Amino acid sequence: MHAYEKIRAEMLHRITRQIWPAGSNLPHEEQLAAEFGVARGTIRRAMADLVQQGLVERRRKAGTRVTARSAHSSTLTIPIVRNEIIASGAQYGYKLLAAEKGGSALDMTGDFKDAPLLHICCLHLSDGRPYQFEDRLINLDAVPDAADHDFNGMSPNEWLVEKVPYSAVRTILRAEAADSAQARYLKIRKGSPVFVIERQTRLDILPVTLVKMSHPSDLFSITTQTSLFD
Amino acid sequence: MHAYEKIRAEMLHRITRQIWPAGSNLPHEEQLAAEFGVARGTIRRAMADLVQQGLVERRRKAGTRVTARSAHSSTLTIPIVRNEIIASGAQYGYKLLAAEKGGSALDMTGDFKDAPLLHICCLHLSDGRPYQFEDRLINLDAVPDAADHDFNGMSPNEWLVEKVPYSAVRTILRAEAADSAQARYLKIRKGSPVFVIERQTRLDILPVTLVKMSHPSDLFSITTQTSLFD
DNA sequence: AAGTGGTCTAGACCACCGC
DNA sequence: CGGTGGTCTAGACCACTTG
């Protein structure tokens, strides 16, 4: 174990056991460097992880303070649906439902209003059962190749991920009562709960794609595990 | 703007514009240091951010490779419910429903099976409307003070966050059809969708608390924004 | 075996910001 | 203003891992 990891573990211990209580200030970098017998840079290396996890806040002149916890933050990973299904040990299935030029009711924010659009609907199945209903807009100004591509063989999800870069993402998670389209394609009763992930990606300021992914609530959940080191 | 930020921006540009396409290798740190006219440490500083965002992967000897994107990851922050409601401009309300010693059906994993437990149910309101139904187990071995605390004035959520450290968290997000308790307390129809956050925290190996937070689907969603730097 | 990223040092200087 | 964290350098050595 490296020096900075030992120091980080010791600092974590002092924070969680409230030897350094929430709201208090830590010693300066130089004091800590002297205490642990390392260079200042090594203290900074250990500190960087604590900052990233939100356990301490640092400001010039004010020093380093133990954060008063007011939120839980965790990193959430949403895999490509095909990989997710295969990883669960199930058989993956895919069906294109529609692909047509023009807009749809999806674009609530209006970011795509003036752009040439491709509207795609498709279904992802797990062992033959509908797992995700994908409803997507693609901005043909950002992805001209999409206009001529045949999405029967490969889902737009995978095609875009391979082909199109982005620089910003907005993701929304929510629960909804299934409308008639969701109910029909997901083979559930209208009004029953669906887990919805909506995601819009941009490349600089150019909107690239907006997608709404709906899942039957009994098949889908998201789990994240956060361990503060080791 | 600092040197490492300029370099990071330039590297990001080369990745998003596929000058360095997915799967390809970047030049060595020393080559990049020479190209940009900085020390190797500055290249490492810029690279650290790209690694953290998952844009590149680095391995000794193998070098630095642009990640083939196979998932979207983003950091999701779940604030304390009171702060969330106040931040929305609404009036916060709180009501304790029950607090009793002993277990409940909540603990599916069995982590709390042999521990002395406190079981708490309460309700958080936004402008008088039920916003979150909180159903919680507290391990009295981990938090002995909880046994004598009166949760009428302050929700267990806030009390625990202030008082009790943790070192690991597991969070599960899912949609559910409201059962009769959820429907009654949230004042929605049984079977209508609820957004559920379930969270278990530990201090080292000791389970601390397990909580299930249910929200009416029309009041609640989670949004995350990710911008790859400036 | 050798090349790559990872750690660590010792020091200089910078820039923010609270007092 | 002064003290703190933040950036940057030049170099040494380490340790992983691929060919």
Side-chain angles (χ1 to χ4, degrees):
Chain A
M1 185 184 283
H2 292 130
Y4 85 88
E5 293 178 291
K6 285 190 200 127
I7 293 167
R8 185 185 63 190
E10 172 59 23
M11 296 197 294
L12 177 64
H13 181 258
R14 292 184 189 179
I15 292 169
T16 58
R17 302 313 164 93
Q18 310 188 19
I19 297 164
W20 291 337
S24 67
N25 270 81
L26 274 57
H28 316 166
E29 291 183 346
E30 288 190 7
Q31 291 175 30
L32 290 167
E35 180 196 337
F36 289 107
V38 297
R40 193 180 146 219
T42 303
I43 296 294
R44 289 188 59 74
R45 176 65 185 83
M47 214 66 111
D49 290 342
L50 300 177
V51 169
Q52 201 209 316
Q53 301 226 349
L55 292 171
V56 300
E57 286 170 340
R58 320 192 74 194
R59 282 199 316 282
R60 289 169 160 110
K61 170 74 179 179
T64 303
R65 176 165 302 184
V66 179
T67 310
R69 284 208 194 86
S70 66
H72 290 255
S73 74
S74 46
T75 299
L76 140 77
T77 301
I78 301 172
I80 290 184
V81 60
R82 185 165 71 86
N83 298 341
E84 192 178 14
I85 288 171
I86 290 172
S88 78
Q91 181 78 26
Y92 173 72
Y94 165 73
K95 192 160 72 171
L96 181 65
L97 301 170
E100 60 202 14
K101 292 195 174 149
S104 81
L106 244 192
D107 181 24
M108 310 295 282
T109 60
D111 288 353
F112 290 76
K113 186 166 43 102
D114 299 322
L117 294 174
L118 183 65
H119 181 204
I120 296 176
C121 290
C122 60
L123 198 61
H124 305 266
L125 304 103
S126 170
D127 277 345
R129 231 198 106 174
Y131 181 85
Q132 177 188 101
F133 170 56
E134 176 180 347
D135 189 2
R136 181 184 293 269
L137 287 178
I138 298 175
N139 180 358
L140 293 174
D141 277 346
V143 197
D145 291 357
D148 305 315
H149 191 263
D150 176 12
F151 288 105
N152 277 294
M154 182 185 227
S155 80
N157 193 333
E158 288 174 74
W159 187 79
L160 284 166
V161 158
E162 273 189 15
K163 205 157 181 333
V164 182
Y166 58 86
S167 63
V169 190
R170 192 196 60 211
T171 306
I172 303 173
L173 309 178
R174 62 170 175 273
E176 274 183 10
D179 63 22
S180 51
Q182 289 166 331
R184 181 167 63 252
Y185 294 124
L186 294 176
K187 292 206 165 73
I188 55 178
R189 283 198 307 281
K190 192 175 166 185
S192 57
V194 290
F195 192 110
V196 174
I197 303 171
E198 199 175 301
R199 187 161 57 212
Q200 180 175 340
T201 62
R202 291 185 289 111
L203 181 58
D204 299 335
I205 58 160
L206 187 70
V208 172
T209 185
L210 170 65
V211 60
K212 178 172 174 177
M213 296 170 282
S214 309
H215 312 76
S217 62
D218 59 329
L219 286 186
F220 190 81
S221 68
I222 295 177
T223 301
T224 77
Q225 307 252 6
T226 310
S227 262
L228 304 184
F229 320 111
D230 320 334
Chain B
M1 184 182 282
H2 291 131
Y4 84 88
E5 293 178 290
K6 285 191 198 126
I7 293 167
R8 185 186 62 189
E10 172 58 23
M11 296 198 294
L12 176 64
H13 181 256
R14 292 184 189 179
I15 292 169
T16 59
R17 301 313 163 93
Q18 310 188 19
I19 297 164
W20 290 338
S24 68
N25 271 282
L26 273 58
H28 317 166
E29 291 183 346
E30 286 190 8
Q31 290 175 31
L32 290 167
E35 180 197 336
F36 289 107
V38 297
R40 193 181 146 217
T42 303
I43 296 294
R44 288 187 61 72
R45 177 65 186 82
M47 214 66 110
D49 290 342
L50 299 177
V51 169
Q52 200 209 317
Q53 300 228 351
L55 292 170
V56 300
E57 288 170 339
R58 319 192 75 193
R59 281 200 316 282
R60 288 170 161 111
K61 172 77 178 179
T64 303
R65 176 164 303 183
V66 179
T67 310
R69 283 207 194 85
S70 65
H72 290 254
S73 74
S74 47
T75 299
L76 138 79
T77 301
I78 300 171
I80 289 184
V81 60
R82 185 165 72 87
N83 297 340
E84 191 177 15
I85 288 171
I86 290 172
S88 78
Q91 181 78 26
Y92 173 73
Y94 165 73
K95 193 160 71 170
L96 181 65
L97 300 170
E100 61 202 12
K101 294 199 172 146
S104 80
L106 244 191
D107 181 26
M108 310 296 282
T109 61
D111 288 354
F112 290 78
K113 186 168 40 109
D114 299 321
L117 295 174
L118 184 64
H119 180 207
I120 296 176
C121 291
C122 61
L123 199 59
H124 305 267
L125 304 103
S126 170
D127 278 345
R129 233 200 103 175
Y131 180 86
Q132 178 188 102
F133 170 55
E134 176 179 346
D135 190 2
R136 182 184 293 269
L137 288 178
I138 298 175
N139 180 358
L140 293 173
D141 277 345
V143 199
D145 291 356
D148 305 315
H149 191 263
D150 177 11
F151 288 104
N152 276 294
M154 182 185 228
S155 80
N157 193 333
E158 289 174 75
W159 186 80
L160 284 167
V161 158
E162 273 189 15
K163 204 154 183 333
V164 182
Y166 59 87
S167 62
V169 190
R170 191 197 61 211
T171 306
I172 303 173
L173 308 178
R174 62 169 175 273
E176 273 184 9
D179 63 23
S180 51
Q182 289 165 330
R184 181 166 64 251
Y185 295 124
L186 294 176
K187 290 203 165 72
I188 55 179
R189 282 197 309 280
K190 193 176 166 186
S192 58
V194 289
F195 193 110
V196 174
I197 302 172
E198 199 174 302
R199 187 162 55 212
Q200 180 176 340
T201 63
R202 291 185 289 112
L203 180 58
D204 299 334
I205 59 159
L206 188 68
V208 172
T209 185
L210 171 65
V211 60
K212 177 172 174 176
M213 297 170 283
S214 309
H215 312 76
S217 62
D218 58 330
L219 287 185
F220 189 81
S221 69
I222 295 178
T223 301
T224 76
Q225 307 251 7
T226 309
S227 261
L228 303 184
F229 323 111
D230 321 336

